[in-house]
């Protein structure tokens, strides 16, 4: 006998996955095209003019960062837009009137973010193989960082979706917070190349630990301690999950 | 047992608006209950609270004896709701919408599909199961929401204006469907603007106005309160200037149609004779189906 909450979770997750693949032209294709352009422009054209970083070709150095960048953006975007549109079309009420527990609603939407984040991550990784032979130092670290980062950003996207009241509200955080932090998060450079002051500032950016850890999984090199990144991700996951639960229980944006 | 028992229910919104000012209401198991009231009276707020979409300020609600404050999940399993506004994703397919709803109630895929097929067939939507919701007509969308509300086989079905914007033929079909559901033992609560609908379907009727219940009795008792009856006459006449008649009022609707309102107890024969004397011949007549409407207007005005 399958527990009812698992059936609820499967239902939401299946619905989210169906949505991602139904609108694949919006969800899967654009990040692959964008990242291919990054590989061509920064990796091939510019990268070939640069000396490597920490013993790796520039292209190999930026590839994990670019993959992680697409995982972050797509996980976040998926939950924020899916939750907001569910709210906008009022079909969130389908879940609210049912006995589906709040933790299942959160995990259900987050599973959609993770599925999209990791699918895009996988596609971008495959694209990168056209340009470079990417080593895989540790599958476990690569998978752990990819999964946890995707999970954390899906949770963050859901919080944004809960508060969003109009379509503009779903793009503010990605544009003004996530994109800058990702660009400054060591995708294109090692922070060890920065002056001490900027290194210190950079270390306040959580995304830097995620990219650094993910890159360690591929290349076996890291600027920071990888376990610090893992610990941070776990703390973020617990805190953001709890905030989501609290907001759903309180009914913010969904109950009057 | 009461299918639904509401005691002293109040709702005050953050804006200070008091939508419900202490509603007490019992709906017996197996009843077809009508909740009537003008727009903004509190019908949808009440349903919202029962289904957890609106949080109550005060009061208690029991669904088949289960207090929603103690075990809302158990209460929710017994309730099916068909809201007033469309609230499904217009991009999803009909069968997905219905099957997913079963999934939210923890019903496994096979059973969900069987139940989905049953209700889509009964509601004439089976052929449309692979159609996305946005391609459905208004009437089909309403029926889709009914199928969705029933897919987990609730004991209590709450419909908030289910026939709004539905054409006459389809509305009759929906009435038949709901009557059969009720005859099979389901308790049904219906809010409607069509008083004819309440008169046709409901055995008990409550009227809510300005956040309060102002009437709650059986349909029979309610109709007894009516002291007038209105008929529509199709007539042949050169002139519809009619001399007055005590306790009867005549309103010409056009050259050949006359609306006649008679105080209860007055004989129709008197009216025919009165009209005959003025050269007006009555070809046919029908009862104007607005008996409840008259009571309703008298109460809420």
């Amino acid at each position: 006998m399958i527990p009812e909450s698992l059936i609820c979770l499967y239902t939401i997750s299946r619905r989210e996955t169906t949505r991602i693949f139904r609108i694949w032209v919006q969800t899967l294709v654009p990040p692959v095209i964008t990242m291919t352009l990054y590989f061509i422009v920064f990796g091939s054209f510019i990268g070939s003019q640069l000396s490597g970083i920490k013993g790796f070709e520039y292209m190999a150095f930026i590839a994990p960062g670019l993959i992680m960048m697409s995982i972050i953006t797509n996980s976040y975007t998926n939950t924020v837009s899916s939750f907001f549109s569910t709210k906008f079309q009022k079909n969130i009420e389908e879940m609210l009137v049912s006995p589906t527990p709040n933790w299942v609603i959160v995990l259900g939407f987050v599973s959609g973010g993770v599925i999209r984040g990791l699918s895009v991550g996988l596609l971008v990784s495959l694209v990168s193989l056209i340009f470079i032979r990417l080593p895989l130092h540790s599958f476990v670290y690569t998978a752990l960082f990819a999964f946890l980062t995707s999970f954390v950003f899906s949770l963050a996207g859901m919080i944004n979706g809960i508060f969003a009241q109009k379509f503009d509200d779903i793009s503010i955080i990605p544009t003004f917070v996530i994109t800058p932090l990702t660009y400054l998060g060591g995708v294109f450079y090692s922070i060890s190349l920065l002056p001490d002051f900027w290194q210190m500032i950079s270390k306040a950016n959580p995304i830097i630990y995620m990219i650094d850890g993910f890159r360690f999984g591929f290349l076996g090199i890291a600027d920071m301690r990888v376990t610090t990144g893992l610990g941070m991700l776990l703390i973020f996951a617990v805190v953001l999950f709890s905030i989501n639960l609290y907001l759903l229980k309180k009914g913010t944006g969904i109950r009057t | 047992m009461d299918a639904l028992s509401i005691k002293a229910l109040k709702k005050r919104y953050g804006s200070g608006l008091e939508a419900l000012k202490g509603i007490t209401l019992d709906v017996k198991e197996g009843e077809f209950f009508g909740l009537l009231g003008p727009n903004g009276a509190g019908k949808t707020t009440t349903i919202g609270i029962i289904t957890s979409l609106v949080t109550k300020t005060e009061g208690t609600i029991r669904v088949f004896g289960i207090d929603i404050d103690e075990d809302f999940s158990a209460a929710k399993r017994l309730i099916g709701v068909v809201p007033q506004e469309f609230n499904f994703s217009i991009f999803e397919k009909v069968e997905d919408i219905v099957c997913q709803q079963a999934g939210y109630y923890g019903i496994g895929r096979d059973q969900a599909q069987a139940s989905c097929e049953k209700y889509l067939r009964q509601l004439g939507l089976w052929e449309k199961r692979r159609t996305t919701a946005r391609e459905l007509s208004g009437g089909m969308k309403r029926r889709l929401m009914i199928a969705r509300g029933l897919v987990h086989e609730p004991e209590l079905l709450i419909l908030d204006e289910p026939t709004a914007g539905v054409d006459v033929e389809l509305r009759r079909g929906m009435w038949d469907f709901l009557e059969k559901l009720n005859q099979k033992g389901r308790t049904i609560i219906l809010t409607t603007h069509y008083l004819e609908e309440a008169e046709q379907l409901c055995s008990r009727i409550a009227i809510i106005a300005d956040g309060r219940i102002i009437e709650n009795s059986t349909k029979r008792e309610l109709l007894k309160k009516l002291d007038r009856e209105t008929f529509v006459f199709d007539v042949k006449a050169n002139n519809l200037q009619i001399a007055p008649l005590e306790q009867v009022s005549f309103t010409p609707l056009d050259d050949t149609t006359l609306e006649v309102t008679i105080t209860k107890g007055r004989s129709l024969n008197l009216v025919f004779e009165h009209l005959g004397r003025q050269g007006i011949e009555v070809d046919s007549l029908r009862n104007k189906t607005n008996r409840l409407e008259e009571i309703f207007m008298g109460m809420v005005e």
Side-chain angles (χ1 to χ4, degrees):
Chain A
M1 192 70 185
I2 309 168
E4 283 188 2
S5 44
L6 266 190
I7 296 176
C8 300
L9 179 60
Y10 169 75
T11 307
I12 304 177
S13 204
R14 189 175 190 275
R15 176 181 167 272
E16 286 300 292
T17 313
T18 310
R19 175 184 167 274
I20 295 166
F21 290 98
R22 185 180 64 225
I23 51 169
W24 60 279
V25 179
Q26 290 173 49
T27 52
L28 303 176
V29 176
V32 172
I33 292 177
T34 313
M35 287 305 149
T36 307
L37 291 170
Y38 273 112
F39 282 123
I40 294 172
V41 175
F42 290 97
S44 283
F45 298 166
I46 298 174
S48 59
Q49 309 295 312
L50 301 172
S51 57
I53 297 179
K54 292 190 171 178
F56 286 93
E57 274 181 59
Y58 185 66
M59 171 86 101
F61 182 84
I62 63 167
L66 291 174
I67 298 167
M68 192 51 119
M69 191 157 116
S70 44
I71 292 176
I72 289 174
T73 317
N74 284 280
S75 304
Y76 190 95
T77 314
N78 200 72
T79 39
V80 67
S81 45
S82 177
F83 192 83
F84 179 72
S85 96
T86 306
K87 224 168 65 164
F88 185 77
Q89 296 196 75
K90 288 179 179 277
N91 54 323
I92 186 73
E93 292 178 3
E94 292 175 341
M95 289 171 217
L96 299 181
V97 301
S98 80
T100 305
N102 288 337
W103 65 268
V104 171
I105 296 181
V106 178
L107 275 189
F109 276 96
V110 166
S111 71
V114 170
I115 288 165
R116 171 152 157 209
L118 296 185
S119 302
V120 170
L122 185 68
L123 288 173
V124 173
S125 305
L126 292 175
V127 168
S128 74
L129 295 179
I130 299 171
F131 299 92
I132 190 149
R133 268 187 56 212
L134 203 56
L136 185 62
H137 172 73
S138 160
F139 174 76
V140 174
Y141 275 111
T142 310
L144 259 180
F145 270 96
F147 174 78
L148 283 175
T149 305
S150 180
F151 189 75
V152 162
F153 278 91
S154 301
L155 284 165
M158 174 119 178
I159 296 175
N160 190 165
I162 289 173
F163 281 109
Q165 289 180 336
K166 48 188 192 301
F167 280 99
D168 292 349
D169 297 345
I170 67 177
S171 56
I172 290 173
I173 305 279
T175 310
F176 295 104
V177 180
I178 295 180
T179 307
L181 286 182
T182 312
Y183 275 80
L184 299 172
V187 175
F188 300 102
Y189 53 87
S190 160
I191 62 157
S192 60
L193 302 175
L194 298 176
D196 286 349
F197 174 74
W198 290 108
Q199 274 196 40
M200 208 175 68
I201 298 277
S202 291
K203 282 179 182 168
N205 174 2
I207 291 179
I208 216 155
Y209 298 84
M210 301 172 194
I211 292 175
D212 194 52
F214 189 63
R215 182 179 288 129
F216 174 79
F218 279 105
L219 308 181
I221 52 163
D223 287 334
M224 263 89 60
R225 273 184 33 206
V226 177
T227 43
T228 312
L230 276 181
M232 273 179 66
L233 278 169
L234 285 172
I235 293 168
F236 274 127
V238 172
V239 171
L240 295 177
F241 191 83
S242 309
I243 294 174
N244 271 297
L245 271 190
Y246 169 76
L247 292 172
L248 285 194
K249 186 165 190 285
K250 208 172 143 219
T252 306
I254 50 173
R255 290 190 165 98
T256 49
Chain B
M1 186 195 262
D2 286 334
L4 178 69
S5 172
I6 300 176
K7 297 255 178 309
L9 185 66
K10 287 188 183 173
K11 173 64 187 177
R12 200 174 307 108
Y13 286 102
S15 61
L17 173 79
E18 203 172 15
L20 299 179
K21 296 170 178 164
I23 280 187
T24 295
L25 196 64
D26 292 322
V27 178
K28 293 198 172 45
E29 193 173 349
E31 232 168 20
F32 204 132
F33 191 95
L35 189 58
L36 311 185
N39 283 331
K43 302 186 297 285
T44 302
T45 302
T46 308
I47 292 174
I49 295 173
I50 301 167
T51 54
S52 90
L53 298 176
V54 178
T55 47
K56 63 187 168 64
T57 309
E58 268 179 52
T60 57
I61 295 179
R62 286 173 183 275
V63 181
F64 290 95
I66 301 167
D67 190 327
I68 62 163
D69 292 327
E70 283 165 20
D71 194 351
F72 215 156
S73 291
K76 282 175 172 180
R77 275 173 226 283
L78 300 169
I79 305 172
V81 63
V82 180
Q84 196 178 122
E85 288 177 41
F86 299 133
N87 68 341
F88 43 76
S89 165
I90 55 167
F91 303 112
E92 288 175 4
K93 293 192 184 109
V94 167
E95 64 181 355
D96 288 343
I97 291 172
V98 179
C99 283
Q100 272 163 29
Q101 192 64 28
Y104 299 147
Y105 284 85
I107 296 167
R109 193 96 190 131
D110 292 345
Q111 202 189 328
Q113 276 169 333
S115 183
C116 168
E117 180 174 347
K118 174 178 147 191
Y119 286 110
L120 287 183
R121 281 190 189 282
Q122 284 183 18
L123 286 153
L125 285 173
W126 182 243
E127 303 304 318
K128 296 281 180 187
R129 64 191 180 281
R130 305 255 155 80
T131 307
T132 48
R134 68 178 152 180
E135 294 171 77
L136 299 179
S137 69
M140 286 175 186
K141 286 176 180 159
R142 291 262 161 226
R143 282 179 284 154
L144 165 61
M145 293 207 296
I146 297 180
R148 189 187 60 182
L150 284 166
V151 72
H152 63 289
E153 306 288 358
E155 296 292 323
L156 169 65
L157 182 66
I158 304 175
L159 302 115
D160 196 357
E161 297 189 26
T163 55
V166 170
D167 70 43
V168 178
E169 195 186 339
L170 205 56
R171 192 183 306 161
R172 302 253 167 204
M174 277 163 78
W175 289 358
D176 284 344
F177 178 78
L178 294 175
E179 274 177 329
K180 279 187 194 129
L181 272 184
N182 180 242
Q183 281 156 13
K184 284 182 198 154
R186 273 215 177 76
T187 312
I188 300 182
I189 299 175
L190 172 93
T191 80
T192 180
H193 270 154
Y194 300 106
L195 294 147
E196 184 194 357
E197 185 164 282
E199 191 172 341
Q200 167 88 22
L201 296 172
C202 303
S203 50
R204 178 174 277 274
I205 289 167
I207 297 178
I208 177 168
D210 193 25
R212 285 193 183 87
I213 300 281
I214 54 169
E215 179 63 49
N216 182 3
S217 52
T218 62
K219 178 171 66 187
R220 196 171 300 174
E221 284 167 27
L222 201 56
L223 287 174
K224 266 194 218 156
K225 295 187 180 177
L226 188 67
D227 56 356
R228 289 172 305 174
E229 208 157 1
T230 305
F231 298 91
V232 178
F233 288 8
D234 292 314
V235 295
K236 278 199 194 94
N238 294 327
N239 181 4
L240 279 183
Q241 294 290 326
I242 302 163
L245 180 66
E246 201 184 333
Q247 294 185 321
V248 179
S249 74
F250 299 100
T251 317
L253 299 179
D254 56 42
D255 291 346
T256 59
T257 321
L258 192 62
E259 194 173 290
V260 183
T261 303
I262 307 171
T263 304
K264 252 189 183 164
R266 287 289 264 176
S267 162
L268 265 177
N269 276 340
L270 277 176
V271 179
F272 292 143
E273 283 166 17
H274 181 74
L275 291 174
R277 277 197 293 276
Q278 294 172 72
I280 298 170
E281 192 182 327
V282 180
D283 272 345
S284 62
L285 72 89
R286 61 183 186 277
N287 203 317
K288 197 175 171 191
T289 46
N290 70 343
R291 296 187 295 166
L292 262 179
E293 196 164 311
E294 286 177 15
I295 301 174
F296 180 76
M297 291 314 291
M299 282 177 170
V300 300
E301 266 169 10

